[in-house]
């Protein structure tokens, strides 16, 4: 069980902003404004109550999320897409595995680029949408730890925004290496660990309306590199697209924290200057390109 309290998030953001000021990024007026704002937050009765939230496993969580997954619900797509496309432009068409394919977003992209996609996912609800979206691809239900794919049978593995749900990267990277042909490529995108630490964990509700957050792990760049090297893969490229600077909203900040389902994104505007300072330059996505050495 997780206890999520709006003040825990807001004071955490204020703390990050103050640490950056302590290191010289902001002046005395900024520090005094943050301290005044903290006093106001502590006195605000609308921020007095938290929510107890269940940790939700992947299959159950994506059953709830599948209907809205592609409807602008995932802002990470905007950070991932340009760098992913740039990497894929360097890889010739072949047999491509979309591992944890979800609704077929990457399988569709691969098909348009001339690849012959195979999609694997643990969620039957997401697979149903993927089959409708990319009828020319082959799809199968499976786990990232036991991919239903033969050894050395694919030229490319793509895994998008999925490994944050995996506690240990080593076995999964070993599976990716197993199915890749010598000289084959692996392209991974994941939610950046700094972003996970700031609350970027998808909210879901069960059939009874109880709040939950998908299980998420903040894997560092080092975690990814060590797992790749341990699987015998070469690191070709690593990118960490940063959050763009958010414009300062006109007028006073809102006073309503909004419903739990839109925390923390509805909370950040309550402290716009602290949020902007805390988020400046923070990576949103981690993208890695690996290669299995040629025989």
């Amino acid at each position: 069980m997780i206890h999520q309290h709006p003040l825990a998030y807001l004071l955490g953001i204020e703390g990050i902003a103050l640490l950056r000021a302590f290191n010289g990024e902001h002046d005395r007026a900024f520090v005094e404004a943050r301290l005044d704002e903290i006093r106001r937050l502590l006195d605000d009765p609308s921020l007095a109550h938290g929510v107890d939230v269940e940790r939700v496993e992947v299959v159950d969580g994506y059953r709830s999320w599948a209907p809205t997954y592609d409807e602008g619900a995932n802002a990470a797509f905007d950070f991932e897409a340009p760098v992913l496309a740039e990497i894929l432009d360097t890889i010739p068409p072949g047999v491509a595995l979309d591992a944890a394919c979800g609704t077929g977003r990457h399988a569709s992209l691969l098909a348009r680029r001339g690849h012959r996609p195979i999609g694997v996912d643990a969620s039957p609800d997401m697979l149903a949408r993927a089959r409708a979206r990319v009828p020319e691809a082959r799809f199968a239900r499976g786990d990232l730890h036991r991919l239903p794919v033969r050894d050395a049978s694919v030229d490319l593995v793509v895994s998008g925004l999925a490994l944050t749900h995996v506690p240990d990267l080593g076995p999964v990277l070993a599976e990716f290496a197993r199915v890749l042909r010598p000289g084959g490529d692996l392209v991974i995108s994941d939610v950046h660990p700094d972003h996970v630490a700031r609350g970027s964990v998808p909210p879901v509700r069960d059939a009874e309306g109880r709040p939950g957050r998908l299980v998420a792990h903040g894997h560092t760049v080092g975690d990814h590199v060590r797992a790749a090297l341990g699987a015998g893969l070469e690191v070709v490229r690593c990118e960490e697209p940063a959050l763009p600077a958010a414009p300062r909203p006109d007028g006073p900040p809102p006073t309503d924290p909004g419903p739990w389902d839109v925390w923390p994104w509805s909370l950040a505007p309550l402290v716009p200057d602290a949020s902007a300072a805390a988020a400046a330059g923070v990576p949103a996505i981690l993208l890695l390109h690996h290669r299995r050495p040629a025989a």
Side-chain angles (χ1 to χ4, degrees):
M1 185 70 71
I2 310 167
H3 183 69
Q4 294 192 321
H5 197 293
L7 278 176
Y9 178 82
L10 291 166
L11 296 181
I13 292 298
E14 296 280 6
I16 295 170
L18 284 168
L19 281 174
R20 297 183 79 156
F22 190 83
N23 288 330
E25 295 184 32
H26 302 283
D27 61 12
R28 179 174 180 170
F30 178 88
V31 172
E32 291 176 348
R34 301 285 65 71
L35 296 176
D36 287 342
E37 192 165 57
I38 289 170
R39 296 184 188 99
R40 175 182 63 77
L41 293 170
L42 289 170
D43 290 337
D44 188 340
S46 72
L47 303 174
H49 302 289
V51 178
D52 289 327
V53 180
E54 295 282 352
R55 297 181 189 272
V56 181
E57 295 299 328
V58 172
V59 173
D60 293 333
Y62 278 97
R63 180 180 300 115
S64 301
W65 199 11
T68 60
Y69 186 79
D70 292 318
E71 297 173 6
N74 199 333
F77 296 169
D78 295 336
F79 302 106
E80 175 206 49
V83 181
L84 178 65
E86 188 177 302
I87 294 172
L88 291 179
D89 283 343
T90 69
I91 300 172
V95 178
L97 171 64
D98 184 358
C101 65
T103 59
R105 185 171 59 94
H106 287 150
S108 176
L109 175 65
L110 293 166
R112 293 196 303 271
R113 290 171 175 268
H115 293 276
R116 300 184 297 282
I118 304 167
V120 174
D121 201 277
S123 167
D125 302 87
M126 301 292 265
L127 281 172
R129 294 177 179 273
R131 290 187 176 102
R133 182 178 191 168
V134 197
E136 66 271 35
R138 292 192 289 122
F139 292 98
R141 187 175 180 185
D143 186 271
L144 289 177
H145 296 83
R146 295 175 298 278
L147 293 167
V149 180
R150 298 190 312 276
D151 293 358
S153 61
V154 303
D155 303 289
L156 168 65
V157 176
V158 175
S159 183
L161 305 178
L163 297 189
T164 188
H165 303 308
V166 174
D168 183 359
L169 295 174
V172 176
L173 270 288
E175 265 296 272
F176 292 163
R178 177 186 68 80
V179 304
L180 273 174
R181 292 177 178 139
D185 294 278
L186 166 63
V187 181
I188 291 169
S189 71
D190 205 8
V191 182
H192 198 280
D194 289 354
H195 214 42
V196 174
R198 292 160 191 261
S200 182
V201 180
V204 294
R205 287 189 183 269
D206 65 16
E208 286 74 41
R210 289 176 298 222
R213 296 260 178 191
L214 284 170
V215 171
H217 306 273
H219 300 302
T220 66
V221 176
D223 293 334
H224 276 273
V225 170
R226 283 186 291 272
L229 295 176
L233 299 167
E234 299 172 342
V235 180
V236 178
R237 182 174 176 181
C238 175
E239 299 290 345
E240 300 172 90
L243 292 167
R248 181 65 167 83
D250 295 331
T255 57
D256 182 0
W260 165 82
D261 303 72
V262 291
W263 293 359
W265 318 122
S266 67
L267 298 175
L270 299 178
V271 290
D273 293 329
S275 294
V282 173
I285 296 291
L286 173 62
L287 290 108
L288 296 117
H289 179 191
H290 302 302
R291 182 168 293 135
R292 180 178 174 183

